[in-house]
Amino acid sequence: MKVIAFNGSPRKAGNTALLLNTALAELETAGIETEIYHLAGKPIQGCIACYKCFKSKDSRCAVRKDIVNECVAKMVEADGILLGSPTYFADVSAGMKALIERCGMVSRANGDLYKRKVGAGVVAVRRAGAYHVLSSLNAFFLIGQMIVPGSSYWNIAVGREPGEVANDAEGMKTMRDLGRNMAWLLKKLHA
């Protein structure tokens, strides 16, 4: 089994990465292969609504000048998907929004490519707006017919400067619990 995590932060080593890596560590402890993919510094644009993916049905986006088709392939090969985003103006980062739009559209155009995979979102926040970000991430999973595990609280941790989320004891526990719950669910689904 494998879980791919996408870090939607422009900081490769910021709070979002720390949260994703905390959940991934629990998955690795359970014997599940993991990978983290950083969107930072890589070109990605939003969906242009050309609908060519519905015509070609080749599990690819017609816009091929960025990373989206690589990301779609990673999602298809994985058993679980983690999406992580900082909170920017009470929503996901622009890169994460583009990833959701494009990977989601290709999936829907090809019979829901991620159907019955396990998916969860994690959110780093300075103060407010995180629940809306988590809702945006969960909408990607739910419309794609994915299975979303819960945790001991919402998958949110508080911190502004890189590394500050480590001081949020409840947030860090939530990420560890999420990783354990995701591992348990994956093992049940693949038993």
Side-chain angles (χ1 to χ4, degrees):
M1 287 178 286
K2 182 174 182 178
V3 171
I4 179 73
F6 292 91
N7 177 9
S9 173
R11 296 175 172 165
K12 288 182 182 180
N15 288 319
T16 305
L18 179 58
L19 298 177
L20 287 169
N21 283 320
T22 300
L24 291 175
E26 296 298 328
L27 288 155
E28 290 168 5
T29 297
I32 297 169
E33 181 185 352
T34 68
E35 178 185 352
I36 189 164
Y37 187 97
H38 301 279
L39 301 183
K42 296 180 179 141
I44 187 168
Q45 71 175 60
C47 182
I48 61 171
C50 68
Y51 294 99
K52 290 181 182 174
C53 55
F54 281 88
K55 292 177 184 155
S56 67
K57 297 205 179 290
D58 62 356
S59 301
R60 296 178 58 78
C61 179
V63 177
R64 297 177 188 229
K65 62 184 179 182
D66 63 15
I67 61 170
V68 166
N69 286 319
E70 179 184 359
C71 295
V72 169
K74 287 182 177 295
M75 288 183 184
V76 167
E77 84 172 23
D79 302 291
I81 300 167
L82 281 169
L83 298 180
S85 181
T87 303
Y88 285 178
F89 292 87
D91 214 333
V92 296
S93 67
M96 181 55 68
K97 179 62 173 159
L99 183 83
I100 287 170
E101 288 177 4
R102 303 259 307 284
C103 292
M105 189 66 86
V106 170
S107 173
R108 303 227 1 120
N110 289 275
D112 292 315
L113 293 171
Y114 322 127
K115 181 173 26 180
R116 299 192 183 110
K117 292 181 184 286
V118 176
V122 303
V123 181
V125 64
R126 179 184 71 84
R127 182 178 294 294
Y131 189 76
H132 180 75
V133 177
L134 185 60
S135 181
S136 293
L137 297 173
N138 282 335
F140 171 80
F141 302 124
L142 296 172
I143 198 169
Q145 300 185 51
M146 294 178 66
I147 303 162
V148 180
S151 187
S152 50
Y153 198 70
W154 312 121
N155 304 339
I156 297 164
V158 177
R160 179 179 178 173
E161 297 305 317
E164 276 187 358
V165 292
N167 298 327
D168 179 358
E170 184 177 26
M172 296 305 289
K173 178 186 182 312
T174 299
M175 297 306 139
R176 290 189 298 273
D177 291 342
L178 174 64
R180 286 192 283 268
N181 289 343
M182 193 170 191
W184 178 87
L185 181 55
L186 282 163
K187 288 181 177 186
K188 291 291 185 185
L189 290 171
H190 292 273

